[in-house]
DNA sequence: GCAATATATGAACATCTGTTCATTTGTACG
DNA sequence: CGTACAAATGAACAGATGTTCATATATTGC
């Protein structure tokens, strides 16, 4: 818990700090947002999500497309499921995964713009 | 290097896998995208960026707004600088930070939509 | 029920990440 | 020049993260 001890006197823009502090969303929202972005912040998951942008795929397909073990894919899918980024339907023994949400496509689009500019 | 050994026979949708594989962006793009999202995937950095959406602020202000040590803020700012998410200008001893890019606001907007729906 | 198969899950481990503490750099001003 | 102060940097450490390996579910077809 850092308090405004020495710095408040000569350096801080007090009104600004107060204003921003008020506008700043709560700890929980910041945490949720960070959690979401963190989920997108892994090459494997980026590839999984991008793959699912084309069409729904089973775990086995994803394994082949991305080139890592089925277990690794499954673990990542669990994370993406928990955050409601992907959903799945069962067809016999096979589970078909797809994007749960069209926000992801927009997020990727924005992200790509930043990266490739 | 996992090959399509046993699964290709009875489970994989071969054409789909090939197609997606072709469409899938390269290792480097995936890595860049992941790096960007990972940078956004930390509560402290989320707060920093959100704070800077309102107006430019000095490191000292950010310390007060967010309530963590100046060193911690500085370390995070370095990460954000490296990824061209924030920029700064010097005025005497004080460095004023601001957003480098309007993509961030859009990314946050999309992210918030997903989180708060 | 049992073998086969697709996927999920748990434990373990090495690596990466964020913070703290100590030190340094850069700038202003007497 | 030397002190003061904003900010940056480096080392170190605890905690989180992603993969692997081994094992467990769930479903199908015999």
């Amino acid at each position: 818990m850092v308090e405004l001890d020495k710095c408040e006197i000569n350096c801080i823009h007090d009104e600004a700090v107060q204003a921003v502090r008020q506008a700043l969303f709560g700890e929980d929202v910041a945490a949720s947002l960070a959690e979401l972005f963190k989920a997108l912040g892994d090459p494997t998951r980026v590839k999984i999500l991008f793959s699912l942008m084309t069409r729904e795929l089973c775990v086995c397909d994803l394994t082949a497309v991305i080139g890592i073990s089925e277990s690794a894919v499954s673990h990542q899918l669990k994370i993406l499921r928990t955050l409601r980024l992907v959903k799945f339907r069962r067809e016999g023994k096979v589970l078909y995964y797809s994007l749960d949400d069209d926000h992801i496509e927009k997020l990727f689009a924005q992200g790509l713009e930043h990266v490739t500019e």
Side-chain angles (χ1 to χ4, degrees), chain A:
Chain A
M1 205 182 301
V2 173
E3 285 307 333
L4 340 168
D5 30 40
K6 73 167 181 235
C7 214
E8 66 182 332
I9 301 164
N10 43 12
C11 144
I12 277 192
H13 309 83
D14 242 330
E15 353 65 52
V17 170
Q18 295 304 329
V20 175
R21 225 176 194 170
Q22 298 249 317
L24 190 59
F25 38 53
E27 204 65 44
D28 48 337
V29 178
S32 300
L33 249 186
E35 199 182 19
L36 167 64
F37 285 124
K38 191 185 289 187
L40 303 177
D42 174 81
T44 297
R45 290 192 291 271
V46 163
K47 289 183 209 160
I48 290 178
L49 291 172
F50 185 83
S51 299
L52 295 180
M53 280 174 67
T54 315
R55 74 199 291 288
E56 70 170 7
L57 292 167
C58 70
V59 178
C60 198
D61 292 334
L62 286 169
T63 300
V65 169
I66 299 175
I68 65 174
S69 78
E70 175 273 320
S71 178
V73 171
S74 195
H75 277 295
Q76 302 306 340
L77 283 173
K78 181 173 190 173
I79 296 175
L80 297 175
R81 243 186 297 138
T82 303
L83 290 168
R84 310 191 329 279
L85 292 172
V86 301
K87 64 185 180 212
F88 65 94
R89 67 182 180 85
R90 179 181 285 278
E91 195 169 295
K93 282 181 275 197
V94 180
L95 300 187
Y96 288 91
Y97 277 86
S98 56
L99 296 186
D100 191 5
D101 199 303
D102 51 322
H103 290 141
I104 300 146
E105 314 211 16
K106 295 178 189 165
L107 282 169
F108 267 56
Q110 287 294 321
L112 274 172
E113 263 187 49
H114 181 85
V115 166
T116 62
E117 83 186 347

